[in-house]
């Protein structure tokens, strides 16, 4: 196929990353950029908003949960990776380095929540990249407790090198998505990052799309980024209001 007339998306992404680095450097030294600046320093995000509608229905989450339990079990690395990925909305690197440690708190209704910490290198200029994550599902908590009983410090038990582990997780996540009929390129090529998208809608749907709260829960430093790139309101949610 001819590439004539097509944009070089790889180059766009490279330029964006370099611009991000420059802006982060300036931010560290309290140098601000004029609002509304145009050109290469505008920091427009490649594919911004293109995948904001990626989500699971409640039924699909339940089907994924059942599939994982039947194939690998509740006390498995993929079970923890999937559900902690969804509940934390953390990126791969943050999940990979996440410690299996938490502070347990009780909600007003008597529920139990694990407060866990991750470091997101992408937002290391904000709070040093540290975010608190809220693990609220009973089965996710149980899986973590089982792992901790074996004195495992990470959220996974595998001792594979990071690259090999990444391939293993990618393969297993792809199986889950394929089982649910999610064979489009984003799920299959960005299997772990898709969890961040799923997590955004998982929490937004529980809070009637409260972007302010979920930006904090999921680790988005601006509501605008969450709304435009991850949390597009589903049509059926809009229909609930206008009907």
């Amino acid at each position: 196929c001819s590439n004539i007339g097509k944009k070089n998306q790889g180059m766009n992404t490279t330029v964006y990353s370099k611009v991000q680095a420059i802006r982060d450097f300036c931010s560290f030294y309290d140098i601000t950029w004029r609002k509304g600046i145009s050109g290469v320093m505008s920091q427009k995000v490649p594919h911004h908003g293109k995948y904001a509608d990626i989500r699971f229905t409640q039924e699909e989450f339940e089907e994924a949960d059942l599939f994982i339990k039947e194939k690998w079990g509740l006390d498995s690395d993929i079970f923890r990776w999937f559900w902690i990925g969804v509940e934390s909305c953390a990126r791969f690197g943050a999940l990979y380095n996440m410690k299996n440690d938490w502070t347990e708190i009780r909600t007003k209704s008597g529920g139990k929540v694990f407060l866990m910490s991750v470091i997101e290198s992408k937002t290391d200029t904000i709070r040093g990249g540290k975010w608190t994550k809220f693990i609220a599902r009973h089965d996710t908590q149980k899986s973590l407790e089982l792992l901790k009983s074996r004195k495992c410090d990470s959220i996974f038990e595998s001792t594979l090198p990071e690259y090999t582990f990444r391939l293993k997780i990618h393969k297993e996540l792809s199986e889950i998505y394929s089982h649910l009929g999610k064979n489009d390129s984003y799920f299959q090529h960005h299997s772990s990052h898709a969890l961040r998208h799923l997590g955004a809608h998982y929490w937004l749907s529980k809070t009637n799309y409260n972007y302010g709260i979920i930006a904090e829960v999921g680790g988005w430093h601006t509501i605008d980024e969450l709304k435009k790139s991850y949390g597009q309101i589903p049509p059926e949610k809009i229909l609930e209001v206008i009907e």
Side-chain angles (χ1 to χ4, degrees):
C1 296
S2 172
N3 289 321
I4 296 174
K6 292 184 179 180
K7 292 183 179 180
N8 187 333
Q9 297 298 342
M11 181 61 72
N12 285 347
T13 302
T14 300
V15 171
Y16 171 78
S17 298
K18 290 181 177 179
V19 169
Q20 176 70 46
I22 293 170
R23 292 181 69 112
D24 286 347
F25 175 84
C26 293
S27 176
F28 181 81
Y29 288 102
D30 294 323
I31 302 171
T32 58
W33 290 87
R34 176 173 52 82
K35 186 176 181 180
I37 190 170
S38 59
V40 70
M41 295 308 294
S42 66
Q43 202 189 22
K44 291 183 179 178
V45 181
H47 313 302
H48 192 64
K50 186 176 180 181
Y51 304 107
D53 60 344
I54 288 179
R55 63 190 177 97
F56 276 5
T57 63
Q58 181 59 36
E59 291 74 22
E60 286 172 329
F61 272 122
E62 291 171 1
E63 179 63 25
D65 185 64
L66 181 63
F67 179 74
I68 296 169
K69 286 176 179 174
E70 289 182 345
K71 187 172 179 64
W72 294 285
L74 178 145
D75 188 14
S76 64
D77 285 348
I78 187 59
F79 180 88
R80 284 181 287 270
W81 193 270
F82 178 85
W83 278 114
I84 296 172
V86 168
E87 290 193 78
S88 71
C89 304
R91 297 175 178 86
F92 181 92
L95 281 174
Y96 187 79
N97 293 298
M98 192 176 191
K99 299 301 181 185
N100 188 22
D101 191 29
W102 60 82
T103 299
E104 184 178 315
I105 63 169
R106 291 284 175 176
T107 64
K108 288 182 179 180
S109 61
K112 182 171 65 174
V113 177
F114 287 1
L115 301 186
M116 303 180 74
S117 295
V118 300
I119 301 295
E120 290 279 9
S121 60
K122 193 170 182 179
T123 58
D124 59 5
T125 58
I126 304 166
R127 316 174 193 171
K130 185 176 181 179
W131 295 88
T132 298
K133 300 301 182 178
F134 301 79
I135 307 303
R137 294 182 71 255
H138 172 74
D139 281 355
T140 314
Q141 294 169 355
K142 183 178 178 181
S143 187
L144 286 169
E145 288 171 336
L146 287 169
L147 187 61
K148 196 168 190 177
S149 71
R150 298 192 294 276
K151 303 187 185 306
C152 187
D153 293 332
S154 300
I155 64 167
F156 55 87
E157 206 162 19
S158 172
T159 57
L160 292 171
E162 181 177 347
Y163 177 73
T164 310
F165 177 78
R166 183 189 288 266
L167 292 178
K168 177 178 181 291
I169 287 294
H170 170 74
K171 178 178 180 294
E172 292 170 352
L173 286 174
S174 293
E175 283 188 59
I176 297 165
Y177 300 145
S178 294
H179 176 74
L180 294 170
K182 306 292 185 181
N183 295 310
D184 56 285
S185 62
Y186 197 88
F187 278 107
Q188 295 300 326
H189 296 154
H190 305 278
S191 57
S192 201
H193 194 73
L195 298 175
R196 183 165 167 82
H197 287 263
L198 297 178
H201 282 280
Y202 173 83
W203 285 113
L204 285 167
S205 65
K206 289 180 178 294
T207 59
N208 200 27
Y209 282 74
N210 186 324
Y211 289 99
I213 292 292
I214 302 312
E216 182 66 29
V217 168
W220 286 275
H221 66 279
T222 68
I223 292 174
D224 188 57
E225 175 62 14
L226 167 60
K227 197 170 187 177
K228 287 184 177 179
S229 295
Y230 293 87
Q232 178 179 315
I233 299 178
E236 63 268 23
K237 198 68 182 175
I238 297 173
L239 288 173
E240 289 178 8
V241 178
I242 64 176
E243 280 185 339

